[in-house]
Amino acid sequence: MTTATVSEHARPPFWRDERVLAVIAQIIFLIVVIVVAAYMYSNMYHELSRRGLKPGFDFLKLEAGFPIGETPIPYTPGDTYARAFLVGVVNTIKVSVIGIILATILGIVIGVARLSTNWLLRAIATVYIEIIRNTPLLVQLFFWFTAVMLKFPRIKQAIRLPGPIYLSNRGIAMVWFKPTESFSLWLIFLLAGLVVATLVFRYRSHYQDRTGNPGYPWIFGSATWLLFALVGWFLVPGAPITVDKPVLAGLNFKGGARLTPEFSALLVGLVVYTAAFIAEVVRAGILAVDKGQREAAKALGLTDFQMMRYIVFPQAMRVIIPPLTSQYLNLTKNSSLAVAIGYPDLFNVAGTIFNQTGKSIEVITLIMGSYLSMSLLTSLFMNWYNRRVRLVER
Amino acid sequence: MTPKSIAMQTRRQLLRDFLTWLKENLFSPWYNALITIVSAAVIYVALKGILHWVFYGAKWGVVTTNLRLFAVGPYPTDQLWRVWLALGLALVLGGLSWGAWGGRSLVALILVIPFLVVFWLAPITPAAKRNWTVVLFLFVLSSAVAEFVRPLRKPLQKILPFAWLVAFFVTLVLLHGFKGSQRLPLVETGLWGGLLLTILLAVVAIVLSFPIGVLLALGRRSSLPIVKLFSIFYIELIRGVPLVTVLFMAQIMLPLFLPPNLRIDKVLRAMAGMTLFAAAYLAENVRGGLQAIPKGQYEAAQALGLNYYQTMRYIILPQALRAVIPAIVGQFISLFKDTSLVAIVGLLDLLSIALSVIAQPQWIGLQREVFAFIGVIYWIFCYAMSYASRRLEVKLGVGVR
């Protein structure tokens, strides 16, 4: 009898049992979510059927029929909507990857400049950061596009910078490398060189670790690779790459690398904007390294460079990587502002597809899916890198 | 020693300090001197170019003739008193808050003077000059009232947050008006524009996203798996896509989701989009604050017999929100900048007005002037907020470990 009373005491009535309440609360929450979603879906369904539209992705196989200004992969208006969308995705990836690389370099330079002992340099870096971070990116993009890129002189009077690099209102044309037929053969040498160089690098660092004598692994490794490249250069028939200079032919430049004003404005805008944020991330990361670490490095007699290379940077990296990742993601997402200046990124192309087909849900699903997968891939890569540089805690 | 020789000595000391400062900060070691020279050259060239352009090259007529357009867009001229009233209301409340939380009215006065000078020199109508003077005077006056009438302070500190909330809705109603009303005729949101719309969008998004964001943050840390999954899904979905897709979705999908007899206009749809977007980011900020609360606080609340609601309402959220105020201000800054994206979906915010001004044939080729002008406006707002946020951080003692 006593046990029964105890268990009665231990078990409150079900309407006051927390576990039961939790389940009930969740079921109610789920029902509310489902009802709202179903209501919205039925509204949408009726509206769409009223307009005579059937949901589905079949339209992707239809002919797109619109031209795209920049096509890194072959595309003609006769291709399908799927192909057009793919061109947009490739354009987004192109501007994001180049943008991330350049923004990282510029950001590190400015971040280090902000910590410089030189007062003037520090002031320049601070002013740069405060101006760029406190104005909207879209305003900056419009500025770069309409007030800089389109204000360059006409193509006949293009500004010539050393290189040569030509600036005109038709975009930027610059000297670039052009692979010849023997390039693939040379590529084999480069790859073989990379493998051997890695082995040499491993061996020299192992030697350094074992004996304590400087092994110069970086110098030996790159020298090996350069040697392979040089030997390959002379062994393959003809030069594997040639320097391709842009020349004025008719109404535009021929040869070299030619960037449209839209792409240039977007790239410059994204790089300049994101670099200001990366600079702050880098600065915070370097400042986060304990002062004692620097003092210890000095006491060991390391040079300034060695101190930065072996003591400060490896530790700063741990602090820098997570916020840096979110800056990379921001840059990728911000590239969608391309639509404002007419660069055919994925959002822009998808917008055109929507205007032509009226397939709202499908197009938005495609856009969101693409951005989500790019975000996911970037995060995965950066998490993998973060695990590599992370401090192994006790 | 005579006073004169002391003065001489201090002067010499000052000179020596200055030279040491120069040497340490600019000229030592040798490469620093090089950097200094290059930097000085860069600054000289940039400043010379910019100043020359500002004073001789730029044609500022495009800005001065369109000032009203930049400020309020196509808001009807005969109804502008409503905007002034809203501004006055905000500045009175601002002044009261300034004084109630220990700001000095003298400082407020000093802050106001440069604005007064700018507005008196600006090419605006005499009525606008008078109105600016009045509202700025009201700001100083109300800060003085809150500072010097001591017994008012405590009640003010209690009332003001609610007063701000009420003023927020009053302002929206005041600007919008009623259909068929004589005193407050309807001003369609399609006529809201310029800086007014930019500020409204940012404020609406942050105010309305606040409750949603807090709920999402609590949901993400909840022990109920369905609620938790839903919150995570929502937050990560929104944070994974650009704002412009959310705005696009709000413009196109929202009308589809709602019943056919409920039609909401473009501005409201953009506000809904910005709110949903801001909520996800706010949730992450609040979550940061929740994670910073030591476990002992939860346990103590439990030991006192408080239930979940009481624990959150009286113990956890007051501490967590206090800790993330600077982060929320930071989010507000980026939200303020992000309002410029509504130009892409066809609203008449500050950037959009700028683009339409540039497109007018009589102002052709004056992009630099217009973008520089609106850039400066955005900059003043954002810099002021980030400065305030840094001060707040120091005052609240957060971020210092």
Side-chain angles (χ1 to χ4, degrees):
Chain A
M1 271 298 117
T2 11
T3 37
T5 5
V6 167
S7 73
E8 248 168 51
H9 269 286
R11 212 161 232 267
F14 74 89
W15 65 87
R16 285 186 56 192
D17 187 335
E18 212 164 89
R19 280 163 298 179
V20 179
L21 280 180
V23 173
I24 292 176
Q26 295 197 69
I27 290 173
I28 292 175
F29 179 76
L30 199 61
I31 289 173
V32 169
V33 169
I34 290 174
V35 165
V36 169
Y39 177 66
M40 292 191 339
Y41 181 79
S42 87
N43 277 334
M44 186 181 73
Y45 188 81
H46 285 298
E47 181 66 26
L48 287 182
S49 56
R50 200 176 57 78
R51 291 188 202 168
L53 290 168
K54 252 202 190 140
F57 285 94
D58 292 338
F59 72 97
L60 283 175
K61 296 196 194 83
L62 300 177
E63 188 186 309
F66 62 89
I68 296 180
E70 266 167 82
T71 49
I73 55 172
Y75 169 84
T76 58
D79 284 325
T80 58
Y81 281 121
R83 183 78 182 175
F85 186 74
L86 188 66
V87 172
V89 172
V90 174
N91 271 332
T92 292
I93 293 176
K94 182 173 116 185
V95 77
S96 305
V97 170
I98 301 177
I100 282 175
I101 295 169
L102 294 181
T104 310
I105 298 170
L106 186 61
I108 291 176
V109 169
I110 295 167
V112 172
R114 244 205 112 172
L115 290 173
S116 160
T117 51
N118 189 306
W119 183 82
L120 268 186
L121 191 62
R122 216 161 56 219
I124 292 180
T126 310
V127 167
Y128 172 91
I129 290 173
E130 293 293 355
I131 288 179
I132 297 298
R133 290 204 328 162
N134 286 319
T135 46
L137 172 60
L138 193 55
V139 174
Q140 293 179 27
L141 280 182
F142 273 119
F143 179 82
W144 289 116
F145 184 56
T146 62
V148 177
M149 292 299 166
L150 296 185
K151 284 279 178 88
F152 282 136
R154 265 183 281 179
I155 202 122
K156 299 273 183 202
Q157 291 93 37
I159 303 168
R160 189 178 191 278
L161 298 179
I165 299 172
Y166 293 99
L167 306 176
S168 70
N169 62 0
R170 299 286 293 274
I172 299 172
M174 60 182 179
V175 61
W176 202 245
F177 302 104
K178 192 175 166 189
T180 60
E181 288 113 15
S182 54
F183 180 73
S184 46
L185 206 61
W186 190 50
L187 203 62
I188 298 173
F189 274 93
L190 290 188
L191 288 177
L194 200 63
V195 173
V196 178
T198 316
L199 288 177
V200 170
F201 177 81
R202 285 265 178 88
Y203 173 74
R204 294 307 298 185
S205 8
H206 183 65
Y207 169 80
Q208 181 172 327
D209 290 347
R210 205 173 29 135
T211 61
N213 296 327
Y216 305 111
W218 280 105
I219 295 176
F220 273 87
S222 19
T224 315
W225 192 67
L226 272 181
L227 191 72
F228 266 81
L230 271 179
V231 169
W233 184 280
F234 289 112
L235 282 186
V236 297
I241 46 174
T242 53
V243 173
D244 191 16
K245 282 183 188 173
V247 281
L248 192 61
L251 286 173
N252 210 339
F253 283 102
K254 283 253 158 34
R258 296 186 306 278
L259 314 175
T260 60
E262 291 84 9
F263 177 81
S264 320
L266 183 64
L267 185 68
V268 171
L270 287 175
V271 167
V272 165
Y273 186 77
T274 314
F277 288 86
I278 292 180
E280 284 297 88
V281 168
V282 169
R283 171 171 165 265
I286 292 178
L287 283 181
V289 176
D290 195 70
K291 203 173 147 203
Q293 296 283 330
R294 290 158 187 268
E295 289 164 358
K298 286 272 182 224
L300 285 175
L302 300 190
T303 64
D304 274 357
F305 175 77
Q306 285 174 326
M307 180 180 80
M308 274 313 228
R309 165 75 186 76
Y310 295 106
I311 310 295
V312 177
F313 264 126
Q315 298 188 64
M317 273 322 239
R318 300 193 331 251
V319 185
I320 289 173
I321 295 289
L324 191 65
T325 310
S326 64
Q327 287 310 324
Y328 288 174
L329 294 177
N330 280 346
L331 188 144
T332 311
K333 286 187 279 172
N334 282 336
S335 70
S336 62
L337 297 187
V339 68
I341 55 172
Y343 173 72
D345 78 321
L346 88 89
F347 185 77
N348 196 354
V349 172
T352 313
I353 296 178
F354 165 72
N355 283 339
Q356 288 197 1
T357 60
K359 298 277 186 184
S360 47
I361 313 140
E362 295 84 345
V363 169
I364 285 177
T365 312
L366 278 178
I367 299 175
M368 291 198 158
S370 314
Y371 279 114
L372 281 176
S373 19
M374 279 191 274
S375 299
L376 204 66
L377 282 179
T378 315
S379 315
L380 281 179
F381 173 75
M382 292 305 278
N383 284 345
W384 166 81
Y385 185 66
N386 194 22
R387 264 199 304 281
R388 278 201 48 193
V389 298
R390 194 175 51 187
L391 180 74
V392 184
E393 291 196 35
R394 278 163 292 188
Chain B
M1 238 187 270
T2 62
K4 200 177 173 187
S5 73
I6 290 177
M8 282 271 284
Q9 212 165 26
T10 25
R11 208 174 300 153
R12 212 169 292 149
Q13 181 63 37
L14 271 179
L15 186 69
R16 205 173 312 136
D17 283 352
F18 179 66
L19 286 178
T20 336
W21 183 89
L22 272 189
K23 193 175 165 220
E24 274 174 6
N25 288 291
L26 294 178
F27 294 109
S28 143
W30 62 270
Y31 56 80
N32 241 340
L34 212 65
I35 293 176
T36 302
I37 292 164
V38 173
S39 308
V42 167
I43 292 175
Y44 175 74
V45 169
L47 262 188
K48 195 182 159 204
I50 290 172
L51 290 179
H52 188 266
W53 178 74
V54 168
F55 289 110
Y56 300 108
K59 301 189 179 72
W60 293 110
V62 62
V63 171
T64 49
T65 36
N66 292 308
L67 274 178
R68 193 170 61 83
L69 216 48
F70 283 117
V72 291
Y75 203 89
T77 320
D78 57 335
Q79 298 297 322
L80 274 182
W81 61 270
R82 285 147 76 163
V83 181
W84 285 111
L85 195 59
L87 183 68
L89 183 62
L91 281 177
V92 166
L93 281 179
L96 286 176
S97 314
W98 178 282
W101 275 283
R104 306 269 303 275
S105 50
L106 193 66
V107 180
L109 184 65
I110 295 169
L111 270 179
V112 157
I113 286 172
F115 285 95
L116 270 181
V117 172
V118 167
F119 290 128
W120 275 96
L121 292 177
I124 50 179
T125 60
K129 280 181 188 173
R130 185 201 62 210
N131 289 347
W132 272 116
T133 317
V134 170
V135 291
L136 288 175
F137 173 72
L138 279 176
F139 175 73
V140 178
L141 186 71
S142 46
S143 74
V145 167
E147 185 187 354
F148 295 115
V149 188
R150 288 264 164 176
L152 266 181
R153 253 199 217 182
K154 278 277 166 218
L156 267 181
Q157 287 186 2
K158 272 198 181 147
I159 296 168
L160 274 171
F162 299 100
W164 274 109
L165 202 64
V166 171
F168 166 70
F169 290 107
V170 166
T171 302
L172 288 183
V173 172
L174 178 68
L175 292 176
H176 189 263
F178 304 97
K179 213 171 194 169
S181 162
Q182 287 293 317
R183 287 272 169 78
L184 278 183
L186 182 73
V187 179
E188 302 252 356
T189 51
L191 295 175
W192 298 10
L195 186 59
L196 173 71
L197 181 63
T198 294
I199 294 175
L200 278 178
L201 277 171
V203 173
V204 165
I206 207 82
V207 171
L208 297 188
S209 71
F210 196 79
I212 310 175
V214 170
L215 284 180
L216 280 171
L218 291 176
R220 193 165 183 169
R221 284 176 60 81
S222 160
S223 55
L224 312 178
I226 294 178
V227 178
K228 188 173 179 173
L229 264 179
F230 176 82
S231 305
I232 293 179
F233 176 77
Y234 179 84
I235 293 172
E236 294 305 328
L237 177 75
I238 296 289
R239 278 162 40 95
V241 298
L243 171 59
V244 65
T245 59
V246 178
L247 284 176
F248 188 65
M249 192 167 140
Q251 291 301 328
I252 291 169
M253 305 276 278
L254 215 54
L256 292 178
F257 286 150
L258 295 174
N261 50 5
L262 187 69
R263 282 282 162 261
I264 57 174
D265 63 62
K266 235 183 191 167
V267 173
L268 278 184
R269 275 180 276 168
M271 283 177 176
M274 302 244 4
T275 305
L276 292 177
F277 181 79
Y281 284 83
L282 200 93
E284 283 301 89
N285 280 335
V286 174
R287 185 167 77 111
L290 289 174
Q291 276 171 343
I293 306 290
K295 220 176 161 193
Q297 295 287 326
Y298 289 92
E299 290 163 356
Q302 225 164 19
L304 285 175
L306 302 186
N307 62 24
Y308 179 81
Y309 172 77
Q310 290 167 328
T311 311
M312 288 301 161
R313 168 74 184 74
Y314 297 107
I315 311 293
I316 306 300
L317 279 178
Q319 299 182 64
L321 292 181
R322 191 184 158 83
V324 294
I325 286 175
I328 292 177
V329 178
Q331 200 207 330
F332 188 76
I333 296 173
S334 55
L335 202 65
F336 185 80
K337 290 190 291 172
D338 282 343
T339 55
S340 58
L341 267 63
V342 297
I344 294 178
V345 291
L347 264 61
L348 296 173
D349 76 315
L350 185 56
L351 173 61
S352 187
I353 293 283
L355 293 173
S356 65
V357 165
I358 293 169
Q360 287 171 15
Q362 75 259 41
W363 307 119
I364 217 138
L366 297 179
Q367 291 94 341
R368 285 179 202 183
E369 286 81 353
V370 171
F371 286 132
F373 175 67
I374 65 166
V376 167
I377 292 185
Y378 278 114
W379 187 86
I380 290 173
F381 275 86
C382 294
Y383 189 78
M385 284 188 280
S386 76
Y387 180 76
S389 146
R390 263 174 279 165
R391 289 288 301 272
L392 210 61
E393 216 166 301
V394 174
K395 206 167 177 191
L396 292 174
V398 292
V400 184
R401 273 175 270 268

